[in-house]
């Protein structure tokens, strides 16, 4: 068995919340530069230039890339041989978010209930997804999710008879209706199969894949490419100013499902695509 102090998790998440909100990943920056070179719309090019300039300003000043510093979405893959000492794991995660959003001067956007709407004042509680995996380490992903893109996401319980065409048409419809709201060029996460809740978590996780990192199944990878082509023909363009670069990637994951089911979830991410992953190794006992 391995052990890990809860304080180390808290400190790590604090730093991750600040960095991922202020520093655009090199992969996303490079993809946006490629989009700029490919864009044919003058207005679209100007929007992409502004996005890249904003990223440089944010990183140099360690200030947020966007005023909406999002819901703190956390994915934690916990090794089954790891024992957390010195505190509760969920509270350690929330304390890291609390400190990160306070010490990093990040906007606190979480309210204590959908109807009371009173701000919690520290951006907690986080939305945490746990997976139990082999080993004695914990891999943590922090993915702040702004509501401009989250609000444009959608779920549909398709009929099996609708098949692939029905799934693809729903995805295209969702992106088309979203328009400029999710701050394109976007990344489109798609989950197909399982149950309604399984599909939505798959769609969220799919957003963590980098542009160009396709599904390992060649058939699904082909569907991703086809959808990306169709989306970029919609003409929405960067920040909705028109053009050919509406999306940077479509990432689809699938899962076995019921004979009477075909659930589809579409989770859209803005051009910043904030996420960061760190693995903390447990200590042998």
């Amino acid at each position: 068995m391995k052990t890990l102090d809860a304080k180390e998790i808290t400190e790590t998440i604090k730093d991750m919340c600040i960095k991922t909100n202020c520093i655009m990943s090199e992969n996303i920056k490079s993809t946006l530069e490629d989009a700029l070179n490919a864009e044919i719309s003058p207005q679209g090019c100007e929007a992409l230039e502004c996005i890249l300039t904003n990223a440089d300003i944010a990183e140099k000043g360690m200030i947020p890339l966007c005023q909406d510093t999002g819901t703190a979405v956390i994915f934690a893959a916990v090794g089954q041989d790891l024992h957390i000492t010195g505190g509760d794991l969920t509270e350690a995660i929330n304390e890291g978010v609390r400190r990160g959003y306070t010490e990093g001067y990040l906007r606190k956007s979480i309210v204590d209930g959908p109807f009371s709407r009173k701000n919690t004042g520290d951006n907690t509680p986080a939305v945490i997804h746990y997976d139990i995996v082999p080993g004695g380490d914990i891999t943590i992903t922090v993915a702040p999710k702004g509501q401009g893109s989250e609000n444009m996401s959608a779920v549909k319980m398709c009929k099996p008879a609708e098949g692939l065409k029905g799934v693809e048409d729903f995805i295209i419809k969702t992106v088309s209706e979203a328009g400029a709201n999710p701050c394109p060029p976007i990344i489109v996460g798609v989950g197909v199969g399982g149950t309604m809740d399984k599909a939505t978590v798959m769609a969220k996780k799919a957003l963590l894949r980098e542009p160009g990192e396709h599904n390992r199944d060649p058939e699904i990878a082909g569907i991703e490419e086809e959808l990306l082509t169709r989306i970029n023909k919609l003409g929405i363009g960067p920040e909705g100013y028109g053009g050919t670069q509406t999306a940077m990637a479509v990432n689809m994951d699938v899962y076995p499902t019921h004979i009477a089911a075909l659930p589809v979830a579409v989770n859209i991410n803005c051009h910043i695509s904030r996420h960061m992953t760190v693995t903390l190794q447990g200590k042998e006992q």
Side-chain angles (χ1 to χ4, degrees):
M1 184 176 71
K2 292 184 176 181
T3 63
L4 185 68
D5 195 315
K7 292 178 182 177
E8 188 173 346
I9 295 171
T10 293
E11 192 66 21
T12 299
I13 289 179
K14 180 197 79 172
D15 291 341
M16 291 171 75
C17 285
I18 296 171
K19 288 176 181 176
T20 196
N21 267 300
C22 299
I23 302 173
M24 181 180 284
S25 76
E26 288 302 318
N27 193 296
I28 293 297
K29 194 179 294 186
S30 176
T31 304
L32 287 168
E33 289 168 350
D34 290 343
L36 175 58
N37 291 330
E39 184 54 73
I40 61 175
S41 161
Q43 293 85 0
C45 286
E46 185 176 353
L48 286 165
E49 287 170 352
C50 287
I51 287 170
L52 289 165
T53 299
N54 179 74
D56 288 339
I57 293 169
E59 183 170 352
K60 287 174 183 175
M62 281 304 288
I63 54 178
L65 286 151
C66 176
Q67 50 84 24
D68 184 356
T69 51
T71 298
V73 178
I74 313 291
F75 292 94
V78 186
Q80 63 185 12
D81 299 323
L82 180 67
H83 176 60
I84 307 300
T85 62
D88 174 75
L89 175 56
T90 297
E91 180 49 39
I93 291 173
N94 277 313
E95 181 62 19
V97 172
R98 187 175 294 116
R99 293 184 190 178
Y101 276 76
T102 301
E103 295 178 25
Y105 300 100
L106 307 175
R107 194 183 82 182
K108 291 84 174 172
S109 304
I110 301 303
V111 294
D112 63 359
F115 306 119
S116 58
R117 312 301 293 186
K118 181 181 177 182
N119 199 297
T120 62
D122 57 16
N123 220 61
T124 67
V127 174
I128 308 171
H129 301 283
Y130 288 112
D131 285 312
I132 304 300
V133 298
D137 305 328
I138 180 170
T139 297
I140 301 167
T141 299
V142 172
K145 193 65 165 68
Q147 290 307 296
S149 59
E150 190 74 359
N151 285 341
M152 295 297 103
S153 303
V155 179
K156 182 181 180 183
M157 303 303 289
C158 290
K159 297 179 178 63
E162 293 180 67
L164 177 58
K165 183 180 184 304
V167 168
E168 291 182 329
D169 288 348
F170 171 66
I171 296 165
I172 298 299
K173 180 175 182 287
T174 300
V175 174
S176 179
E177 291 179 351
N181 291 318
C183 294
I186 58 178
I187 293 179
V188 184
V190 181
V192 184
T195 53
M196 182 182 72
D197 53 312
K198 178 66 176 180
T200 55
V201 174
M202 282 196 298
K204 182 79 75 185
K205 274 191 176 181
L207 294 175
L208 305 180
R209 260 196 271 151
E210 300 297 337
E213 184 185 342
H214 291 294
N215 191 293
R216 294 180 182 178
D217 183 330
E219 181 183 4
I220 304 302
I223 295 169
E224 292 174 338
E225 289 280 17
E226 179 190 345
L227 286 166
L228 181 62
T229 299
R230 288 181 64 182
I231 288 169
N232 282 331
K233 287 181 179 179
L234 292 173
I236 297 168
E239 297 293 357
Y241 284 106
T244 61
Q245 303 300 303
T246 298
M248 294 184 281
V250 176
N251 299 337
M252 177 184 287
D253 284 332
V254 300
Y255 194 80
T257 191
H258 191 279
I259 55 172
L262 183 56
V264 186
V266 180
N267 200 214
I268 298 175
N269 222 350
C270 71
H271 62 263
I272 302 174
S273 186
R274 296 169 291 196
H275 60 273
M276 181 179 182
T277 300
V278 170
T279 296
L280 299 176
Q281 297 182 337
K283 297 175 178 61
E284 292 283 359
Q285 292 299 296

